[in-house]
Amino acid sequence: MSVRVLLVDDEELLRLAFGMILRAEPDMEPIGEAADGAAAVELARRLRPDVVLMDVRMPGTDGIEATRRLLREVPGTRVLVLTTFDLDAYAFEALRAGASGFLLKNSRPEELLAAIRDVARGDAVVSPRVTRLLLDRFAHRLPAAGDDGGGDGGGDAERLRVLTAREREVLLGAARGLTNAELAAALGLAEPTVKKHLGRVMAKLGLRDRVQTVIFAYECGLVGPG
């Protein structure tokens, strides 16, 4: 099955370049293009793409708001954000809005293709350490645990009660930026076992991927910057 990709960027040349890269792959199908976030949401409603390659800095409806609306209105679609800088406040906000990862605009074609395939499979395309760096840098934007504004930290803390002790350990390690291999070594587990525990954590807490899991841990006060 081909991965159906919607290309969203206000630069026509970039859309053209990305489209050419995707069309050269037997398992990729660029199904549409949009130059702004509002058009992207409308196209996604009609075309139901598997992955949206989304620029975050666009005039009008930016990629952050478009991501938020798209994931609410077109469930099952995943968003891969395009950004210029690896530690970008816009990219961070897009992750909080539900994007499954971000990619630098100057990434090599093979990195772009691998990222799209990973996101289509349900993986997150942000390394654990980069996720932690993003959160450490922009943690002041997160609501404090127990705040009434946006984060519902107290409610999130209550949700932690559904986790087993081992699942909480895995959640904490992931939130601190450990890879699955590092978590396996630290907890004395096999790496596939760690992956299963992390999958259960996401399922119990209703989280989309590893990125959302780390953000949840910050918002509920399980970990903090520094």
Side-chain angles (χ1 to χ4, degrees), residues 25-54:
E25 299 298 307
D27 63 337
M28 297 281 175
E29 182 185 359
I31 60 171
E33 298 181 11
D36 63 72
V41 174
E42 179 58 35
L43 268 179
R45 285 199 205 102
R46 290 196 287 109
L47 301 177
R48 301 282 165 171
D50 300 308
V51 176
V52 177
L53 200 58
M54 178 83 75

PDB file of all heavy atoms in Angstrom, residues 25-54:
ATOM      1  N   GLU A  25       9.347   7.199  -5.581  1.00  0.00           N
ATOM      2  CA  GLU A  25       9.288   6.037  -4.700  1.00  0.00           C
ATOM      3  C   GLU A  25       8.033   5.208  -4.985  1.00  0.00           C
ATOM      4  O   GLU A  25       6.934   5.768  -5.088  1.00  0.00           O
ATOM      5  CB  GLU A  25       9.272   6.485  -3.237  1.00  0.00           C
ATOM      6  CG  GLU A  25      10.509   7.259  -2.814  1.00  0.00           C
ATOM      7  CD  GLU A  25      11.759   6.422  -2.935  1.00  0.00           C
ATOM      8  OE1 GLU A  25      11.797   5.306  -2.374  1.00  0.00           O
ATOM      9  OE2 GLU A  25      12.715   6.886  -3.590  1.00  0.00           O
ATOM     10  N   PRO A  26       8.173   3.880  -5.097  1.00  0.00           N
ATOM     11  CA  PRO A  26       7.004   3.048  -5.412  1.00  0.00           C
ATOM     12  C   PRO A  26       5.953   3.003  -4.308  1.00  0.00           C
ATOM     13  O   PRO A  26       4.789   2.673  -4.570  1.00  0.00           O
ATOM     14  CB  PRO A  26       7.621   1.659  -5.644  1.00  0.00           C
ATOM     15  CG  PRO A  26       8.922   1.681  -4.901  1.00  0.00           C
ATOM     16  CD  PRO A  26       9.413   3.094  -4.989  1.00  0.00           C
ATOM     17  N   ASP A  27       6.365   3.332  -3.061  1.00  0.00           N
ATOM     18  CA  ASP A  27       5.417   3.244  -1.946  1.00  0.00           C
ATOM     19  C   ASP A  27       4.947   4.613  -1.469  1.00  0.00           C
ATOM     20  O   ASP A  27       4.399   4.742  -0.381  1.00  0.00           O
ATOM     21  CB  ASP A  27       6.039   2.476  -0.772  1.00  0.00           C
ATOM     22  CG  ASP A  27       7.271   3.177  -0.205  1.00  0.00           C
ATOM     23  OD1 ASP A  27       7.909   3.977  -0.936  1.00  0.00           O
ATOM     24  OD2 ASP A  27       7.607   2.932   0.969  1.00  0.00           O
ATOM     25  N   MET A  28       5.152   5.658  -2.284  1.00  0.00           N
ATOM     26  CA  MET A  28       4.735   7.008  -1.915  1.00  0.00           C
ATOM     27  C   MET A  28       3.794   7.569  -2.966  1.00  0.00           C
ATOM     28  O   MET A  28       3.993   7.365  -4.158  1.00  0.00           O
ATOM     29  CB  MET A  28       5.952   7.936  -1.792  1.00  0.00           C
ATOM     30  CG  MET A  28       6.927   7.564  -0.710  1.00  0.00           C
ATOM     31  SD  MET A  28       6.348   8.086   0.923  1.00  0.00           S
ATOM     32  CE  MET A  28       7.631   7.355   1.942  1.00  0.00           C
ATOM     33  N   GLU A  29       2.778   8.299  -2.516  1.00  0.00           N
ATOM     34  CA  GLU A  29       1.830   8.909  -3.440  1.00  0.00           C
ATOM     35  C   GLU A  29       1.456  10.310  -2.959  1.00  0.00           C
ATOM     36  O   GLU A  29       0.652  10.454  -2.037  1.00  0.00           O
ATOM     37  CB  GLU A  29       0.568   8.057  -3.547  1.00  0.00           C
ATOM     38  CG  GLU A  29      -0.445   8.608  -4.535  1.00  0.00           C
ATOM     39  CD  GLU A  29      -1.752   7.827  -4.539  1.00  0.00           C
ATOM     40  OE1 GLU A  29      -1.861   6.838  -3.790  1.00  0.00           O
ATOM     41  OE2 GLU A  29      -2.664   8.225  -5.273  1.00  0.00           O
ATOM     42  N   PRO A  30       2.073  11.368  -3.549  1.00  0.00           N
ATOM     43  CA  PRO A  30       1.639  12.724  -3.199  1.00  0.00           C
ATOM     44  C   PRO A  30       0.249  12.978  -3.793  1.00  0.00           C
ATOM     45  O   PRO A  30       0.061  12.880  -5.006  1.00  0.00           O
ATOM     46  CB  PRO A  30       2.698  13.610  -3.857  1.00  0.00           C
ATOM     47  CG  PRO A  30       3.297  12.783  -4.945  1.00  0.00           C
ATOM     48  CD  PRO A  30       3.157  11.350  -4.537  1.00  0.00           C
ATOM     49  N   ILE A  31      -0.707  13.272  -2.936  1.00  0.00           N
ATOM     50  CA  ILE A  31      -2.102  13.341  -3.395  1.00  0.00           C
ATOM     51  C   ILE A  31      -2.636  14.763  -3.481  1.00  0.00           C
ATOM     52  O   ILE A  31      -3.764  14.969  -3.937  1.00  0.00           O
ATOM     53  CB  ILE A  31      -3.024  12.505  -2.494  1.00  0.00           C
ATOM     54  CG1 ILE A  31      -2.967  13.008  -1.044  1.00  0.00           C
ATOM     55  CG2 ILE A  31      -2.670  11.033  -2.583  1.00  0.00           C
ATOM     56  CD1 ILE A  31      -4.018  12.378  -0.149  1.00  0.00           C
ATOM     57  N   GLY A  32      -1.862  15.743  -3.041  1.00  0.00           N
ATOM     58  CA  GLY A  32      -2.340  17.118  -3.104  1.00  0.00           C
ATOM     59  C   GLY A  32      -1.345  18.082  -2.493  1.00  0.00           C
ATOM     60  O   GLY A  32      -0.407  17.674  -1.810  1.00  0.00           O
ATOM     61  N   GLU A  33      -1.563  19.371  -2.769  1.00  0.00           N
ATOM     62  CA  GLU A  33      -0.694  20.421  -2.254  1.00  0.00           C
ATOM     63  C   GLU A  33      -1.537  21.571  -1.723  1.00  0.00           C
ATOM     64  O   GLU A  33      -2.622  21.849  -2.241  1.00  0.00           O
ATOM     65  CB  GLU A  33       0.232  20.956  -3.349  1.00  0.00           C
ATOM     66  CG  GLU A  33       1.182  19.934  -3.939  1.00  0.00           C
ATOM     67  CD  GLU A  33       2.087  20.544  -5.001  1.00  0.00           C
ATOM     68  OE1 GLU A  33       2.100  21.796  -5.122  1.00  0.00           O
ATOM     69  OE2 GLU A  33       2.774  19.785  -5.702  1.00  0.00           O
ATOM     70  N   ALA A  34      -1.022  22.234  -0.695  1.00  0.00           N
ATOM     71  CA  ALA A  34      -1.674  23.425  -0.153  1.00  0.00           C
ATOM     72  C   ALA A  34      -0.601  24.438   0.225  1.00  0.00           C
ATOM     73  O   ALA A  34       0.501  24.055   0.635  1.00  0.00           O
ATOM     74  CB  ALA A  34      -2.523  23.072   1.064  1.00  0.00           C
ATOM     75  N   ALA A  35      -0.931  25.720   0.094  1.00  0.00           N
ATOM     76  CA  ALA A  35       0.030  26.784   0.384  1.00  0.00           C
ATOM     77  C   ALA A  35      -0.206  27.438   1.737  1.00  0.00           C
ATOM     78  O   ALA A  35       0.557  28.302   2.147  1.00  0.00           O
ATOM     79  CB  ALA A  35      -0.022  27.848  -0.723  1.00  0.00           C
ATOM     80  N   ASP A  36      -1.261  27.027   2.457  1.00  0.00           N
ATOM     81  CA  ASP A  36      -1.515  27.579   3.788  1.00  0.00           C
ATOM     82  C   ASP A  36      -2.301  26.562   4.610  1.00  0.00           C
ATOM     83  O   ASP A  36      -2.823  25.574   4.079  1.00  0.00           O
ATOM     84  CB  ASP A  36      -2.262  28.917   3.712  1.00  0.00           C
ATOM     85  CG  ASP A  36      -3.635  28.769   3.079  1.00  0.00           C
ATOM     86  OD1 ASP A  36      -4.539  28.210   3.732  1.00  0.00           O
ATOM     87  OD2 ASP A  36      -3.804  29.199   1.926  1.00  0.00           O
ATOM     88  N   GLY A  37      -2.381  26.819   5.908  1.00  0.00           N
ATOM     89  CA  GLY A  37      -2.982  25.862   6.813  1.00  0.00           C
ATOM     90  C   GLY A  37      -4.460  25.627   6.587  1.00  0.00           C
ATOM     91  O   GLY A  37      -4.939  24.493   6.682  1.00  0.00           O
ATOM     92  N   ALA A  38      -5.211  26.691   6.289  1.00  0.00           N
ATOM     93  CA  ALA A  38      -6.652  26.535   6.089  1.00  0.00           C
ATOM     94  C   ALA A  38      -6.937  25.638   4.889  1.00  0.00           C
ATOM     95  O   ALA A  38      -7.797  24.745   4.945  1.00  0.00           O
ATOM     96  CB  ALA A  38      -7.302  27.899   5.899  1.00  0.00           C
ATOM     97  N   ALA A  39      -6.205  25.854   3.799  1.00  0.00           N
ATOM     98  CA  ALA A  39      -6.383  25.013   2.610  1.00  0.00           C
ATOM     99  C   ALA A  39      -5.972  23.575   2.905  1.00  0.00           C
ATOM    100  O   ALA A  39      -6.577  22.633   2.393  1.00  0.00           O
ATOM    101  CB  ALA A  39      -5.560  25.577   1.446  1.00  0.00           C
ATOM    102  N   ALA A  40      -4.947  23.407   3.747  1.00  0.00           N
ATOM    103  CA  ALA A  40      -4.487  22.062   4.110  1.00  0.00           C
ATOM    104  C   ALA A  40      -5.579  21.287   4.836  1.00  0.00           C
ATOM    105  O   ALA A  40      -5.814  20.100   4.550  1.00  0.00           O
ATOM    106  CB  ALA A  40      -3.238  22.154   4.982  1.00  0.00           C
ATOM    107  N   VAL A  41      -6.249  21.943   5.773  1.00  0.00           N
ATOM    108  CA  VAL A  41      -7.309  21.269   6.532  1.00  0.00           C
ATOM    109  C   VAL A  41      -8.449  20.876   5.598  1.00  0.00           C
ATOM    110  O   VAL A  41      -8.975  19.761   5.669  1.00  0.00           O
ATOM    111  CB  VAL A  41      -7.822  22.171   7.675  1.00  0.00           C
ATOM    112  CG1 VAL A  41      -9.019  21.524   8.359  1.00  0.00           C
ATOM    113  CG2 VAL A  41      -6.703  22.426   8.689  1.00  0.00           C
ATOM    114  N   GLU A  42      -8.827  21.782   4.699  1.00  0.00           N
ATOM    115  CA  GLU A  42      -9.915  21.497   3.766  1.00  0.00           C
ATOM    116  C   GLU A  42      -9.552  20.326   2.840  1.00  0.00           C
ATOM    117  O   GLU A  42     -10.367  19.420   2.616  1.00  0.00           O
ATOM    118  CB  GLU A  42     -10.221  22.747   2.931  1.00  0.00           C
ATOM    119  CG  GLU A  42     -11.328  22.558   1.910  1.00  0.00           C
ATOM    120  CD  GLU A  42     -12.644  22.111   2.526  1.00  0.00           C
ATOM    121  OE1 GLU A  42     -12.946  22.540   3.658  1.00  0.00           O
ATOM    122  OE2 GLU A  42     -13.359  21.313   1.884  1.00  0.00           O
ATOM    123  N   LEU A  43      -8.325  20.328   2.317  1.00  0.00           N
ATOM    124  CA  LEU A  43      -7.886  19.237   1.448  1.00  0.00           C
ATOM    125  C   LEU A  43      -7.837  17.916   2.208  1.00  0.00           C
ATOM    126  O   LEU A  43      -8.220  16.862   1.685  1.00  0.00           O
ATOM    127  CB  LEU A  43      -6.505  19.548   0.868  1.00  0.00           C
ATOM    128  CG  LEU A  43      -6.442  20.254  -0.484  1.00  0.00           C
ATOM    129  CD1 LEU A  43      -4.996  20.503  -0.879  1.00  0.00           C
ATOM    130  CD2 LEU A  43      -7.158  19.460  -1.556  1.00  0.00           C
ATOM    131  N   ALA A  44      -7.340  17.961   3.441  1.00  0.00           N
ATOM    132  CA  ALA A  44      -7.237  16.740   4.244  1.00  0.00           C
ATOM    133  C   ALA A  44      -8.611  16.148   4.508  1.00  0.00           C
ATOM    134  O   ALA A  44      -8.775  14.923   4.518  1.00  0.00           O
ATOM    135  CB  ALA A  44      -6.515  17.022   5.559  1.00  0.00           C
ATOM    136  N   ARG A  45      -9.612  16.991   4.723  1.00  0.00           N
ATOM    137  CA  ARG A  45     -10.974  16.489   4.923  1.00  0.00           C
ATOM    138  C   ARG A  45     -11.440  15.692   3.709  1.00  0.00           C
ATOM    139  O   ARG A  45     -12.103  14.671   3.843  1.00  0.00           O
ATOM    140  CB  ARG A  45     -11.940  17.656   5.147  1.00  0.00           C
ATOM    141  CG  ARG A  45     -11.874  18.309   6.513  1.00  0.00           C
ATOM    142  CD  ARG A  45     -13.153  19.098   6.763  1.00  0.00           C
ATOM    143  NE  ARG A  45     -12.947  20.169   7.705  1.00  0.00           N
ATOM    144  CZ  ARG A  45     -12.812  21.453   7.388  1.00  0.00           C
ATOM    145  NH1 ARG A  45     -12.859  21.821   6.106  1.00  0.00           N
ATOM    146  NH2 ARG A  45     -12.624  22.370   8.306  1.00  0.00           N
ATOM    147  N   ARG A  46     -11.108  16.200   2.515  1.00  0.00           N
ATOM    148  CA  ARG A  46     -11.583  15.552   1.292  1.00  0.00           C
ATOM    149  C   ARG A  46     -10.736  14.351   0.891  1.00  0.00           C
ATOM    150  O   ARG A  46     -11.257  13.327   0.448  1.00  0.00           O
ATOM    151  CB  ARG A  46     -11.595  16.569   0.142  1.00  0.00           C
ATOM    152  CG  ARG A  46     -12.658  17.633   0.270  1.00  0.00           C
ATOM    153  CD  ARG A  46     -12.888  18.362  -1.042  1.00  0.00           C
ATOM    154  NE  ARG A  46     -11.797  19.270  -1.391  1.00  0.00           N
ATOM    155  CZ  ARG A  46     -10.928  19.057  -2.374  1.00  0.00           C
ATOM    156  NH1 ARG A  46     -10.991  17.956  -3.096  1.00  0.00           N
ATOM    157  NH2 ARG A  46      -9.986  19.940  -2.634  1.00  0.00           N
ATOM    158  N   LEU A  47      -9.402  14.463   1.062  1.00  0.00           N
ATOM    159  CA  LEU A  47      -8.499  13.453   0.514  1.00  0.00           C
ATOM    160  C   LEU A  47      -8.085  12.381   1.513  1.00  0.00           C
ATOM    161  O   LEU A  47      -7.602  11.330   1.122  1.00  0.00           O
ATOM    162  CB  LEU A  47      -7.241  14.146  -0.044  1.00  0.00           C
ATOM    163  CG  LEU A  47      -7.486  15.185  -1.148  1.00  0.00           C
ATOM    164  CD1 LEU A  47      -6.176  15.831  -1.561  1.00  0.00           C
ATOM    165  CD2 LEU A  47      -8.167  14.537  -2.348  1.00  0.00           C
ATOM    166  N   ARG A  48      -8.228  12.659   2.806  1.00  0.00           N
ATOM    167  CA  ARG A  48      -7.871  11.693   3.858  1.00  0.00           C
ATOM    168  C   ARG A  48      -6.449  11.139   3.681  1.00  0.00           C
ATOM    169  O   ARG A  48      -6.262   9.932   3.490  1.00  0.00           O
ATOM    170  CB  ARG A  48      -8.872  10.543   3.887  1.00  0.00           C
ATOM    171  CG  ARG A  48     -10.301  10.979   4.125  1.00  0.00           C
ATOM    172  CD  ARG A  48     -10.542  11.294   5.574  1.00  0.00           C
ATOM    173  NE  ARG A  48     -11.779  12.041   5.793  1.00  0.00           N
ATOM    174  CZ  ARG A  48     -12.301  12.285   6.981  1.00  0.00           C
ATOM    175  NH1 ARG A  48     -11.690  11.834   8.071  1.00  0.00           N
ATOM    176  NH2 ARG A  48     -13.399  12.991   7.121  1.00  0.00           N
ATOM    177  N   PRO A  49      -5.430  11.995   3.728  1.00  0.00           N
ATOM    178  CA  PRO A  49      -4.055  11.511   3.567  1.00  0.00           C
ATOM    179  C   PRO A  49      -3.611  10.685   4.772  1.00  0.00           C
ATOM    180  O   PRO A  49      -4.167  10.802   5.866  1.00  0.00           O
ATOM    181  CB  PRO A  49      -3.245  12.806   3.473  1.00  0.00           C
ATOM    182  CG  PRO A  49      -4.052  13.797   4.252  1.00  0.00           C
ATOM    183  CD  PRO A  49      -5.484  13.435   3.986  1.00  0.00           C
ATOM    184  N   ASP A  50      -2.602   9.847   4.549  1.00  0.00           N
ATOM    185  CA  ASP A  50      -1.990   9.121   5.661  1.00  0.00           C
ATOM    186  C   ASP A  50      -1.077  10.043   6.453  1.00  0.00           C
ATOM    187  O   ASP A  50      -1.046   9.996   7.684  1.00  0.00           O
ATOM    188  CB  ASP A  50      -1.173   7.932   5.137  1.00  0.00           C
ATOM    189  CG  ASP A  50      -2.017   6.949   4.357  1.00  0.00           C
ATOM    190  OD1 ASP A  50      -3.058   6.524   4.887  1.00  0.00           O
ATOM    191  OD2 ASP A  50      -1.638   6.623   3.218  1.00  0.00           O
ATOM    192  N   VAL A  51      -0.323  10.878   5.724  1.00  0.00           N
ATOM    193  CA  VAL A  51       0.655  11.777   6.345  1.00  0.00           C
ATOM    194  C   VAL A  51       0.532  13.151   5.704  1.00  0.00           C
ATOM    195  O   VAL A  51       0.386  13.269   4.480  1.00  0.00           O
ATOM    196  CB  VAL A  51       2.100  11.255   6.163  1.00  0.00           C
ATOM    197  CG1 VAL A  51       3.123  12.254   6.728  1.00  0.00           C
ATOM    198  CG2 VAL A  51       2.275   9.894   6.829  1.00  0.00           C
ATOM    199  N   VAL A  52       0.582  14.184   6.525  1.00  0.00           N
ATOM    200  CA  VAL A  52       0.639  15.563   6.039  1.00  0.00           C
ATOM    201  C   VAL A  52       2.026  16.098   6.340  1.00  0.00           C
ATOM    202  O   VAL A  52       2.459  16.106   7.498  1.00  0.00           O
ATOM    203  CB  VAL A  52      -0.430  16.455   6.699  1.00  0.00           C
ATOM    204  CG1 VAL A  52      -0.280  17.896   6.223  1.00  0.00           C
ATOM    205  CG2 VAL A  52      -1.821  15.927   6.389  1.00  0.00           C
ATOM    206  N   LEU A  53       2.735  16.515   5.294  1.00  0.00           N
ATOM    207  CA  LEU A  53       4.035  17.158   5.452  1.00  0.00           C
ATOM    208  C   LEU A  53       3.756  18.646   5.587  1.00  0.00           C
ATOM    209  O   LEU A  53       3.383  19.309   4.625  1.00  0.00           O
ATOM    210  CB  LEU A  53       4.892  16.850   4.226  1.00  0.00           C
ATOM    211  CG  LEU A  53       6.407  16.992   4.344  1.00  0.00           C
ATOM    212  CD1 LEU A  53       6.959  16.114   5.452  1.00  0.00           C
ATOM    213  CD2 LEU A  53       7.072  16.667   3.021  1.00  0.00           C
ATOM    214  N   MET A  54       3.909  19.186   6.798  1.00  0.00           N
ATOM    215  CA  MET A  54       3.356  20.490   7.162  1.00  0.00           C
ATOM    216  C   MET A  54       4.435  21.511   7.531  1.00  0.00           C
ATOM    217  O   MET A  54       5.190  21.316   8.491  1.00  0.00           O
ATOM    218  CB  MET A  54       2.414  20.310   8.358  1.00  0.00           C
ATOM    219  CG  MET A  54       1.798  21.592   8.891  1.00  0.00           C
ATOM    220  SD  MET A  54       0.340  22.098   7.970  1.00  0.00           S
ATOM    221  CE  MET A  54      -0.868  20.920   8.581  1.00  0.00           C
TER     222      MET A  54
END
